[in-house]
Amino acid sequence: MVKKPLIAILIVCSIIAETWAIQQLQVKWTFNASAQFPGKVFGANFQAGITVFDIDADGKNEVIFGTRTGDSKRIWCTDQSGRLKWVFPPIYESGYPGDPQTKVSIVDVNNDGKYELAIAGRGAKLHVLKSDGSLMWYWNNTYQRSMRGAPQAYDVDGDGYVEFFLNDDGGQIYRVSHDGNLVWQSVAVAGGNRCHPTVADIDRDGEYEVLVASQDNNLYCLRSSTGEEKWRFDTGARMQANPVIVADVNKDGEYEAIVWNDAPVNSVFAVSFFGTEIWRWIPPREGSIQLCQAMGDIDGDGNYEMAIMSASGLYLISIAGSGPRLRWELNLSYWIEQGVLPAGAVPNSLSSYQLIADINGDDKQEILWLAPYPIVTDAATGQPIAYYINEHLRLKKNQESGGWWGDVDNDGKSEWIVELVGNTDAQTQLYCVTMNGKFPAKSPWPEYYHSAYPAKHQQSQTWLTLKAAYSNSLWFPMPEVLLWPLLAALSAYLLHRR
């Protein structure tokens, strides 16, 4: 039964929302893991996300996510309508070896045209599963340390097979072959990293680099061929579960690395391809900046913006040109006081799972926040558009995992899939919410952390305005990078002919 105080709050909010044109997101379906097996209770995952793709080539999408609390530590797969297809490990076996604090990466590991699922986490293992949830192989971390963040997989040496790149809590970086053998491990840095590395040819020399944001304050750039350090940049504070974004943000024809850090510095940095500071942005209020921040062109002018959630605020900044500038800041407390939003919305550095997408089909970009309940704002102005809340949700806390946006069931409407933490584990559910906006609709950053789409699929999706070089990379433009190995090989060939 709905609690009376909450009913009153929702009524007041709905009255005031008419002036602000606020609406509640509609729930299309839910999936409650605890309702699947009698006597079992499963809660949320942590700092992970949701992957949606047609992994078994049946023409319909699957939804893949993890749980770690309760009778848990499982990877779940549902169909496009939220019906269970499989769970790994099977329910009659022991759970995953440690929290699956990772997003699933979709990779054709053995080049047979079929997709596999790569998963890491706190269990000190890299698991590769078949599309039906059965095990293909696993690799044991050398030191039995947690490996958080999605496994990154890319063919960096041109042999036709992907290589996996992972990091662990002890500061070690690993390259693992497509068949589960260790290729190299780096010299340990002073502090571990709780996020995946980024693989990119940032200096466009024809060799890919591995970039890692570490808890020892440094951004590291390593050679993908050997793990040897090329350079490091000291940000002055730790980077907590932060990926590294690689993009030409200032339109100078070169790539920059975008990173951010924790207290006491609390800043966003643009770092050159050879490891020097180009600029930094300091928020108007102190507060740690952690996890993943979303990047994209929100107004179609060809320049990039970043949607940032820190421990103290929600911001949109421009990162184009000679330096960053603040576009707007949201005041959730004011919106609550005015009755625009229900109570319980708070900024939190551990709730930084925002997406950028046209969810309502108005041909303009929106920002999809989890603070901790879903909130939609206009990207250009920051004005509130919609939210979702019910009496079962845990409020005034951090959101546990990131979400996904797109057309999950191919009905021509866009959906936002999020896992929302309940007041109890049994009330935690996956929610598919919608504003019935048309799809395809433009988006530069439609899912948390990284792209699940294979590169060929990305290139054919005109609605996807930022495209990565490969599946499971961050959303950042890479077409120029892909040409450099070819140009380097051509130059070598011509020199040899002479």
Side-chain angles (χ1 to χ4, degrees):
M1 180 174 291
V2 179
K3 299 176 182 177
K4 291 182 179 179
L6 182 59
I7 293 175
I9 292 172
L10 292 176
I11 291 173
V12 171
C13 286
S14 65
I15 293 172
I16 298 178
E18 293 180 4
T19 304
W20 289 71
I22 306 296
Q23 56 182 292
Q24 269 249 68
L25 293 158
Q26 299 176 30
V27 176
K28 199 163 189 177
W29 53 258
T30 62
F31 175 80
N32 188 323
S34 299
Q36 305 304 310
F37 302 101
K40 298 288 186 180
V41 176
F42 305 92
N45 204 355
F46 183 60
Q47 293 180 10
I50 296 162
T51 297
V52 177
F53 196 68
D54 180 10
I55 61 172
D56 56 10
D58 67 350
K60 299 179 181 179
N61 286 326
E62 283 76 40
V63 181
I64 306 162
F65 65 103
T67 57
R68 70 162 185 154
T69 53
D71 299 306
S72 200
K73 297 179 176 58
R74 309 275 173 180
I75 302 297
W76 302 76
C77 177
T78 79
D79 69 10
Q80 62 185 14
S81 300
R83 292 183 291 262
L84 180 64
K85 295 189 71 168
W86 53 257
V87 59
F88 176 83
I91 200 65
Y92 52 81
E93 295 181 7
S94 299
Y96 197 78
D99 297 338
Q101 190 178 335
T102 174
K103 188 175 177 181
V104 172
S105 295
I106 300 176
V107 185
D108 183 359
V109 174
N110 54 6
N111 279 355
D112 64 353
K114 299 178 181 178
Y115 291 113
E116 286 79 41
L117 310 175
I119 313 155
R122 281 176 164 161
K125 297 179 188 292
L126 165 64
H127 281 86
V128 174
L129 307 181
K130 299 177 183 179
S131 62
D132 62 0
S134 60
L135 178 66
M136 176 178 281
W137 56 258
Y138 69 84
W139 173 76
N140 277 312
N141 178 286
T142 305
Y143 301 103
Q144 293 299 295
R145 296 180 183 138
S146 297
M147 297 183 293
R148 304 187 233 189
Q152 300 295 284
Y154 191 51
D155 179 12
V156 298
D157 57 11
D159 68 349
Y161 291 94
V162 299
E163 291 80 39
F164 289 97
F165 295 89
L166 309 102
N167 53 259
D168 68 24
D169 282 1
Q172 213 85 34
I173 313 299
Y174 303 91
R175 174 174 161 176
V176 178
S177 70
H178 73 280
D179 51 2
N181 294 308
L182 180 65
V183 178
W184 56 251
Q185 61 188 44
S186 70
V187 175
V189 301
N193 178 36
R194 296 177 179 175
C195 181
H196 59 73
T198 295
V199 181
D201 184 4
I202 190 172
D203 54 13
R204 301 195 294 179
D205 64 352
E207 178 186 5
Y208 286 88
E209 285 77 43
V210 181
L211 294 107
V212 182
S214 175
Q215 290 198 85
D216 72 355
N217 305 351
N218 287 294
L219 164 63
Y220 288 89
C221 180
L222 311 178
R223 297 184 186 276
S224 67
S225 56
T226 63
E228 173 190 1
E229 181 180 322
K230 294 186 72 170
W231 52 259
R232 69 177 70 178
F233 172 76
D234 187 354
T235 69
R238 72 174 184 171
M239 288 172 278
Q240 176 77 340
N242 299 8
V244 182
I245 298 177
V246 175
D248 181 10
V249 299
N250 57 11
K251 305 299 182 182
D252 66 349
E254 303 290 351
Y255 285 105
E256 293 81 44
I258 308 299
V259 292
W260 45 93
N261 63 7
D262 212 334
V265 178
N266 308 314
S267 298
V268 179
F269 297 82
V271 181
S272 72
F273 65 86
F274 50 88
T276 60
E277 181 177 331
I278 298 175
W279 54 251
R280 73 173 68 183
W281 178 74
I282 303 172
R285 266 160 291 287
E286 292 184 358
S288 298
I289 310 176
Q290 303 179 6
L291 305 188
C292 190
Q293 311 299 327
M295 185 187 80
D297 179 3
I298 60 98
D299 50 16
D301 66 353
N303 296 317
Y304 294 132
E305 288 82 25
M306 286 184 69
I308 295 172
M309 180 185 290
S310 75
S312 59
L314 283 66
Y315 310 96
L316 184 79
I317 65 171
S318 171
I319 56 173
S322 59
R325 63 183 179 87
L326 179 65
R327 291 279 296 267
W328 48 253
E329 177 183 358
L330 304 185
N331 189 330
L332 297 181
S333 296
Y334 174 77
W335 285 353
I336 292 170
E337 290 172 1
Q338 297 300 309
V340 176
L341 291 177
V346 291
N348 191 311
S349 61
L350 294 177
S351 294
S352 183
Y353 302 104
Q354 53 272 18
L355 310 179
I356 304 174
D358 177 14
I359 190 174
N360 60 3
D362 65 352
D363 295 320
K364 299 178 181 178
Q365 295 296 290
E366 286 80 47
I367 299 178
L368 286 54
W369 308 90
L370 293 171
Y373 60 80
I375 299 171
V376 179
T377 64
D378 179 77
T381 65
Q383 291 299 309
I385 295 174
Y387 66 89
Y388 177 75
I389 193 172
N390 67 46
E391 72 274 18
H392 303 299
L393 302 186
R394 187 189 71 177
L395 305 176
K396 298 182 180 180
K397 301 285 186 180
N398 58 288
Q399 164 67 5
E400 297 287 13
S401 279
W404 174 92
W405 170 89
D407 184 0
V408 64
D409 53 8
N410 300 315
D411 67 347
K413 301 293 180 65
S414 68
E415 292 92 25
W416 181 11
I417 301 181
V418 293
E419 182 183 65
L420 300 179
V421 182
N423 292 312
T424 66
D425 282 345
Q427 293 174 319
T428 295
Q429 296 190 113
L430 214 64
Y431 291 79
C432 178
V433 297
T434 184
M435 296 185 72
N436 291 314
K438 63 185 178 182
F439 190 90
K442 299 290 185 183
S443 172
W445 201 279
E447 57 183 298
Y448 176 60
Y449 261 153
H450 70 270
S451 162
Y453 301 129
K456 289 182 180 179
H457 178 78
Q458 292 183 48
Q459 295 303 321
S460 67
Q461 306 304 302
T462 57
W463 59 270
L464 184 59
T465 56
L466 282 185
K467 304 175 192 291
Y470 48 96
S471 175
N472 66 268
S473 73
L474 287 169
W475 299 102
F476 59 115
M478 294 282 286
E480 298 94 337
V481 175
L482 293 177
L483 292 175
W484 274 87
L486 297 177
L487 294 174
L490 179 61
S491 298
Y493 171 75
L494 293 174
L495 288 172
H496 178 72
R497 285 285 303 269
R498 291 178 181 176

